[in-house]
Amino acid sequence: MVEGYGVSIKTIDAFRVWDSRGRPTIEVRVETTSGAVGSAIAPAGASTGSGEAVDLRDGGERFGGYDVLNAIAAIYEILAPRLIGVDEQDQHAIDAAIEGLDGAANFATIGGNAAVATSMATAHVAAAVHELPLWLYLRGGKDDNVTLPVPEVQIFGGGAHADGQMDLQDFMVVPFGAKNFAEALEWVAEIYRAAGAQLKKNNKSYGVADEGGYWPSFSSNDQAIEALLQAIEVAGFDPRKSVGISLDIAANQFFRGDCYRLSKGEKNLSPDAWFDCLTGWLQQYPILMIEDPFEEHDLERHARLQSAFGHQMQIVGDDLLVTNSANVAQAVEAKACNTLLCKPNQAGTLTRARLAAERAYSADWDVILSARSGETEDVTICHLAVGWGIKQFKVGSFARSERMAKWNEVLRIERSLGSKARYAGRDVFAKFLSF
């Protein structure tokens, strides 16, 4: 533990904890001279873009090379001496100091995991000083006109989340038609149950993917989309009027050389053939959202898809944008998509993440706040979504405690607000659908 005296931030402590994949990660605990305490845990991704903040791992044989002792050492030796004495309420100054101490755009020196855990922990301690939950602190203590986000929930997992059983990474549902967040989760529960029953009925074996979704081996990507559509309808919902379909393509994961290599059907598709394949799905199925449809450097085809379908759906940039405001600006200029997937650990600090979100909003885009595949019981992103007014929220599936902790935290926030709570729901998607 590193200590300081007579200053706002008194101590910064960091230690190893474990994420949902059984890998090491970092928890940071910050205490002020007033005795207020805040803590946060760094998540980790599986499907990652080339420009995002990188975790600092120890390498070698221990824990498969994933240990974080070097990143913890960086917190003690580099971050803590500089941050002790900084006003705990000045998030911008704290994050600027973290960024300046690293010197690399991708936080390669101290590690994106060390950076984001420290950034989030200082936000929590600032809220604790005011004896407020983080979401309310971020809103300046005002609990009027609070919007609860629309959940985006994985039902079937594939890609990097399920050992490549399916080419596409996430087959998800979006309960935009619910009257509140609590009802939205009730709908998801019924769809998740219907999907499981459907797999058993069809004698399909399955496991559980990284983020809690079912992990079946469908014979084709089309069959998986059909199964998702059927689960929505069997549960009693209309995919055009109440529960939308969302696909995370994560195209980086199967783009090799100069083509998209699909394991289902053993196809190697040129970029133009892959464009035609996606176009066919978007014309055939009621898909409301599509994420990372092409590899991250292909702005031209992202823009073609946006031009053809952006008026009727969200085209979401994840690996394309990596929560970087400069990348968002470039994509806005190229008209490459219309929605940012915002992941704080991609950015490295809360200030960077919020800057990317604000740049997206300034272009009249939508923003989704997202967790990662390697998660913990940490619920910081729930508070960021509500506190920053972000109207969509992607956590993973409707199973596993690290996922349910986050859905349940938003439920608690909604309950605490009572009649003041508003569900984003149809307001988000009204421009795409006729209700």
Side-chain angles (χ1 to χ4, degrees):
M1 182 178 293
V2 179
E3 296 194 13
Y5 300 93
V7 294
S8 294
I9 294 179
K10 179 183 177 182
T11 64
I12 296 179
D13 192 16
F15 50 97
R16 183 212 291 140
V17 293
W18 303 87
D19 73 13
S20 56
R21 292 189 292 234
R23 294 175 180 172
T25 187
I26 302 168
E27 180 165 352
V28 172
R29 182 181 185 274
V30 178
E31 183 176 356
T32 68
T33 51
S34 68
V37 175
S39 62
I41 307 174
S47 172
T48 57
S50 63
E52 69 179 76
V54 296
D55 286 351
L56 181 60
R57 302 287 182 171
D58 293 357
E61 296 183 4
R62 184 176 174 81
F63 306 135
Y66 288 103
D67 210 355
V68 291
L69 299 183
N70 289 333
I72 289 172
I75 292 172
Y76 285 125
E77 297 168 8
I78 300 174
L79 294 185
R82 172 64 178 82
L83 294 179
I84 288 172
V86 174
D87 181 354
E88 80 284 343
Q89 297 181 69
D90 193 342
Q91 190 72 47
H92 186 273
I94 289 167
D95 290 344
I98 293 171
E99 186 174 345
L101 288 166
D102 188 285
N106 65 353
F107 291 94
T109 302
I110 63 173
N113 44 355
V116 76
T118 304
S119 179
M120 294 192 303
T122 55
H124 278 289
V125 82
V129 166
H130 291 270
E131 299 182 342
L132 294 173
L134 179 57
W135 70 267
L136 189 54
Y137 169 73
L138 293 172
R139 291 178 52 83
K142 299 177 181 179
D143 65 354
D144 56 326
N145 299 316
V146 180
T147 300
L148 279 300
V150 182
E152 183 183 5
V153 189
Q154 181 195 82
I155 303 299
F156 302 128
H161 293 167
D163 200 26
Q165 285 291 322
M166 297 299 300
D167 297 308
L168 311 191
Q169 185 158 280
D170 290 314
F171 300 80
M172 298 170 286
V173 294
V174 186
F176 61 84
K179 64 178 180 291
N180 53 43
F181 189 84
E183 184 177 69
L185 293 189
E186 292 172 11
W187 290 11
V188 171
E190 294 290 7
I191 295 166
Y192 188 79
R193 186 173 64 86
Q198 178 180 302
L199 292 174
K200 291 177 182 177
K201 179 181 178 181
N202 295 331
N203 294 314
K204 280 194 173 294
S205 60
Y206 60 87
V208 176
D210 268 355
E211 296 187 357
Y214 297 111
W215 173 0
S217 183
F218 292 109
S219 61
S220 68
N221 294 297
D222 298 71
Q223 188 183 58
I225 300 171
E226 293 278 4
L228 180 62
L229 182 60
Q230 184 179 359
I232 294 170
E233 293 174 339
V234 167
F237 303 106
D238 188 328
R240 291 174 175 82
K241 296 182 179 180
S242 57
V243 178
I245 289 176
S246 175
L247 301 178
D248 180 1
I249 306 298
N252 266 0
Q253 299 299 307
F254 53 91
F255 183 75
R256 298 290 182 272
D258 59 355
C259 67
Y260 293 91
R261 302 181 185 275
L262 305 181
S263 61
K264 296 301 175 182
E266 298 182 347
K267 297 178 181 178
N268 291 337
L269 299 181
S270 69
D272 284 335
W274 174 239
F275 183 95
D276 292 341
C277 178
L278 288 177
T279 298
W281 287 339
L282 299 183
Q283 291 172 337
Q284 182 177 358
Y285 300 110
I287 296 169
L288 187 57
M289 302 169 62
I290 190 167
E291 181 181 326
D292 280 348
F294 305 99
E295 60 91 11
E296 64 184 76
H297 301 294
D298 193 349
L299 280 174
E300 187 267 332
R301 287 180 183 81
H302 276 93
R304 281 172 54 192
L305 199 72
Q306 166 68 20
S307 176
F309 294 96
H311 65 287
Q312 68 185 54
M313 65 184 302
Q314 289 183 337
I315 297 175
V316 185
D318 177 15
D319 293 342
L320 176 71
L321 304 173
V322 293
T323 316
N324 181 297
S325 60
N327 290 354
V328 174
Q330 182 183 31
V332 168
E333 179 69 23
K335 299 181 180 179
C337 51
N338 58 20
T339 304
L340 164 69
L341 195 73
C342 182
K343 296 175 174 176
N345 85 314
Q346 277 186 332
T349 67
L350 296 188
T351 299
R352 278 188 170 191
R354 189 165 190 177
L355 183 62
E358 289 173 349
R359 182 65 188 85
Y361 281 134
S362 71
D364 201 28
W365 282 19
D366 294 315
V367 178
I368 307 163
L369 199 67
S370 176
R372 302 306 300 260
S373 55
E375 274 290 343
T376 68
E377 67 274 20
D378 187 286
V379 294
T380 302
I381 63 167
C382 306
H383 292 260
L384 298 179
V386 178
W388 288 350
I390 293 178
K391 296 180 180 179
Q392 293 174 256
F393 191 44
K394 179 183 178 186
V395 165
S397 194
F398 207 67
R400 299 178 52 137
S401 294
E402 78 279 359
R403 312 292 153 185
M404 304 314 295
K406 295 168 180 59
W407 299 132
N408 290 338
E409 185 72 359
V410 180
L411 281 177
R412 294 184 191 100
I413 294 171
E414 182 176 64
R415 182 175 176 81
S416 73
L417 285 163
S419 61
K420 294 181 180 180
R422 293 177 58 252
Y423 179 57
R426 295 178 183 273
D427 291 345
V428 175
F429 297 102
K431 58 192 171 188
F432 301 122
L433 300 169
S434 299
F435 301 118

